[in-house]
Amino acid sequence: MGQESSAPMPDIQSTYRYSTLPPISSSTPKRFRLLTILPKSASSEGYLQCKLQDHDLDTAPPYEALSYVWGNAKPVGCIFIDDESKSISFNLGLALVRLRHDDKERIVWIDALCINQDDIVERSQQVQLMVDIYTRCTRVVVWMGMGHTDDRVIPAAFKLMHRTAEYISKEVGKPIEKVCSADITSLPTEVPTSPIRATRDLPEPRSHLWAPAAFFFHMPWFRRMWIAQEVAFAPAIMYVGKLEIDWDVVAMAASWWYLKGYAGSFDMAMDLRNPLTIWMGPEIRGLSLDRFLDKFGHFEATDPRDKVYALLGFLGDEGNGDNVAIEGQIEGEVEGKVDVEKHRIIPDYSKEVWEVYSDAVHHIIHTESEGNLTQLFAMIRDVPTEPDPIFPSWIPRWDLGHCITGQSLNIFEPQYEWLASGDKRPEIRASPNPKILCLKGVQVTRIQEVFPLHEAEDEDPDVQAMLLQSLWSRAQELLTPYPGPESLEEAFVKAITGIRKRDVSSTATQYTPSELLDVIDDVCSPEDSPFLIDGIRWFTSFFITEDGKMGVGCKRMQKDDAVCLLYGGRLPVVLRSVDGQWRFLEQCVVPGIMYGEALMGLGEARLEEEWFELR
């Protein structure tokens, strides 16, 4: 690196060779490396000079840890480590120049340099130490980059954040450094007309004066998967060019703006969610992996395996218990019960992405998290028309970033406490094929007819009414007389609204489109209005089963698909039989079996337990 330059020097051939770190074990000290950046006065020939030394984690000297965006990892510059050349990326070069002191050494931990990234075994082992490394550092230094070409933008953003932090401190009655996310989430909500807003020197929500803050929170660092762990367990400061600001000020301002409705635009509001989510990390440590994947699943990772590995530091021991019965049926082994293993996830970068995600699925199923099977299946979104040749259907595509349970049928589950499989725990049978997940359950019925609900995206009441009328007419044709214990009208309203309201009473047998719309609107509680947009938005299909049930579910279902209950799941699932195995499609809502009613028929000829091999 040049002494005065803000960009890396031209790359030369790397000659640095890493020493070998001992394997991590419970009986030996945990070894890792620390980089010493020599002062500018020690540079020679314009290159940045460093030393790299091994240390025991328990006896290491005080050090800082760097958090930054790798960006384009292609080497474009060079530094010297122990007098040997080492190629580095452009953004890392900028960070090192910013970190270097003029007249004293600086000890830092930097993943790209302190871990031999070309050694998969070492990389896998050192990732296991990440939470310890960041917890034990004196401070985390976040390198955001050089900032904006207009040197007025970042100072303006920092000024807004500092001013906001002062308002927060006053409102919660704590010094800025003592404020936590729980203090902010407990504050009363506001609307644009709230009188207190007139007392604050902050721009109106839609003012262009929010543009500097919008630029800052849209910077790539806020979308990195690893940052959740990197700034969660130690004090942190953020560098933007030559400027700096405390991470806590940034996080509390972003959280307050988001929760108080100060975001200048929808895009800015979405960007503010990330620092709020990150800031809550330490307070929610110990939740199950499925909950963390739900919260952080939209963050980005260069290596898709890090979608899982970057969250392991948040898991407590309580997340590694078991609540599942395992039945062994592996070739050459006597069938029967086998010991339950704790499915801890050990980072291993030699595994394929689907294998890592499979490990995560098995971990989730074996944890004590209530409803974990439902949470897991809720993260399976956008099922392709044809089976994926690599990813089994039961593995969520966390690498694609759209596995968010708030966009699934699970959105209603906490409100109604659905227990379709009753008090049954998950039961899993070992399979010699790692792409098979074998779960016990029952097949309740099959789908007879499917009706798409894509038209429901139209908010025109007349269009909604005509759609409902066509579905109601078809239900009358197929289900008169209705075989259920309630009236056809009651069952239809429950199905089409996803059981948004349990108590439905109606005596009419014929409706005009407008009357039908009014009836369904009447049985939905006020907070559910408009019922169709809130309810059917996530339901892309309405269906009728062979035994006269009605339900709503996914867009990929078709005639003859099976409606099943997999033990441990709160919602029914739709499965498709393919060559003697089953393909998972999505969860569904079927009034009449949402509270364990179907299991009352166990042992009868029409309903028997079976093992479902999901592929």
Side-chain angles (χ1 to χ4, degrees), residues 5 76 124 142 319 333 352 394 399 532:
S5 174
V76 296
S124 300
V142 178
E333 181 180 58
E352 298 292 333
W394 48 272
D399 57 320
L532 193 59

Side-chain angles (χ1 to χ4, degrees), residues 11 48 184 215 402 454 543 571:
D11 187 26
L48 192 145
I184 294 180
F215 170 83
H402 56 206
H454 297 157
F543 61 89
L571 280 75

Side-chain angles (χ1 to χ4, degrees), residues 266-330:
F266 176 80
D267 289 340
M268 180 177 172
M270 294 300 97
D271 287 338
L272 293 178
R273 291 184 310 159
N274 287 4
L276 170 60
T277 302
I278 297 164
W279 202 32
M280 292 178 64
E283 297 179 17
I284 58 179
R285 186 177 183 181
L287 291 180
S288 56
L289 179 59
D290 54 315
R291 299 294 180 180
F292 278 107
L293 284 165
D294 181 24
K295 291 180 177 295
F296 294 96
H298 63 284
F299 283 69
E300 299 171 0
T302 302
D303 188 325
R305 290 167 288 200
D306 288 336
K307 286 280 194 158
V308 173
Y309 293 159
L311 297 174
L312 298 184
F314 288 109
L315 302 182
D317 289 340
E318 63 272 22
N320 291 321
D322 66 271
N323 71 328
V324 60
I326 302 179
E327 182 171 316
Q329 191 179 32
I330 301 177

Side-chain angles (χ1 to χ4, degrees), residues 463-496:
V463 175
Q464 296 174 12
M466 292 303 297
L467 169 65
L468 289 174
Q469 180 61 45
S470 64
L471 297 178
W472 170 239
S473 298
R474 188 59 178 153
Q476 287 178 303
E477 293 175 11
L478 293 176
L479 301 177
T480 302
Y482 183 60
E486 57 196 351
S487 70
L488 176 59
E489 293 93 332
E490 290 175 311
F492 178 79
V493 170
K494 284 183 177 180
I496 201 67

Side-chain angles (χ1 to χ4, degrees), residues 17-254:
R17 296 293 179 265
Y18 284 91
S19 61
T20 301
L21 292 176
I24 296 175
S25 72
S26 58
S27 59
T28 58
K30 298 174 180 177
R31 300 286 292 179
F32 77 130
R33 302 185 186 94
L34 288 174
L35 184 78
T36 300
I37 305 174
L38 300 183
K40 184 181 294 186
S41 57
S43 297
S44 62
E45 299 181 0
Y47 286 93
L48 192 145
Q49 302 287 330
C50 303
K51 296 184 294 184
L52 192 62
Q53 295 175 302
D54 301 357
H55 294 276
D56 289 350
L57 190 59
D58 292 331
T59 59
Y63 65 93
E64 297 170 295
L66 181 67
S67 174
Y68 70 109
V69 176
W70 277 40
N72 187 341
K74 179 181 179 181
V76 296
C78 181
I79 62 173
F80 275 83
I81 300 177
D82 301 326
D83 297 324
E84 298 291 339
S85 60
K86 173 66 177 174
S87 297
I88 57 173
S89 67
F90 181 80
N91 196 42
L92 179 54
L94 296 177
L96 289 169
V97 169
R98 178 64 173 86
L99 287 168
R100 180 176 56 179
H101 291 309
D102 287 339
D103 54 5
K104 63 179 180 179
E105 297 180 347
R106 191 167 191 172
I107 302 176
V108 294
W109 184 88
I110 301 174
D111 55 358
L113 296 176
C114 296
I115 299 175
N116 183 357
Q117 299 293 330
D118 295 326
D119 186 334
I120 292 179
V121 174
E122 177 181 307
R123 184 179 166 201
S124 300
Q125 293 219 342
Q126 288 290 296
V127 164
Q128 299 178 47
L129 301 180
M130 292 282 276
V131 66
D132 291 323
I133 291 171
Y134 278 97
T135 299
R136 301 187 188 200
C137 69
T138 58
R139 185 175 68 169
V140 175
V141 177
V142 178
W143 171 246
M144 299 290 291
M146 297 303 293
H148 199 283
T149 54
D150 185 338
D151 59 11
R152 297 170 297 178
V153 170
I154 299 302
F158 284 6
K159 184 177 181 180
L160 274 174
M161 286 184 272
H162 280 295
R163 187 182 303 157
T164 299
E166 293 172 1
Y167 289 135
I168 296 170
S169 175
K170 181 178 180 181
E171 192 167 347
V172 303
K174 291 182 178 180
I176 291 176
E177 63 273 13
K178 298 294 185 181
V179 176
C180 64
S181 61
D183 295 321
I184 294 180
T185 55
S186 64
L187 293 174
T189 57
E190 295 178 8
V191 295
T193 56
S194 296
I196 193 173
R197 293 202 172 198
T199 67
R200 301 181 186 131
D201 185 17
L202 291 173
E204 291 296 321
R206 300 295 176 180
S207 170
H208 70 281
L209 297 176
W210 287 106
F215 170 83
F216 177 78
F217 285 105
H218 194 63
M219 296 179 78
W221 182 85
F222 287 103
R223 300 189 292 276
R224 284 186 63 241
M225 193 75 189
W226 277 106
I227 64 174
Q229 182 172 273
E230 291 170 355
V231 298
F233 307 121
I237 191 167
M238 308 184 78
Y239 288 173
V240 186
K242 296 181 178 180
L243 302 177
E244 60 186 61
I245 187 171
D246 285 339
W247 156 248
D248 284 341
V249 171
V250 171
M252 73 172 67

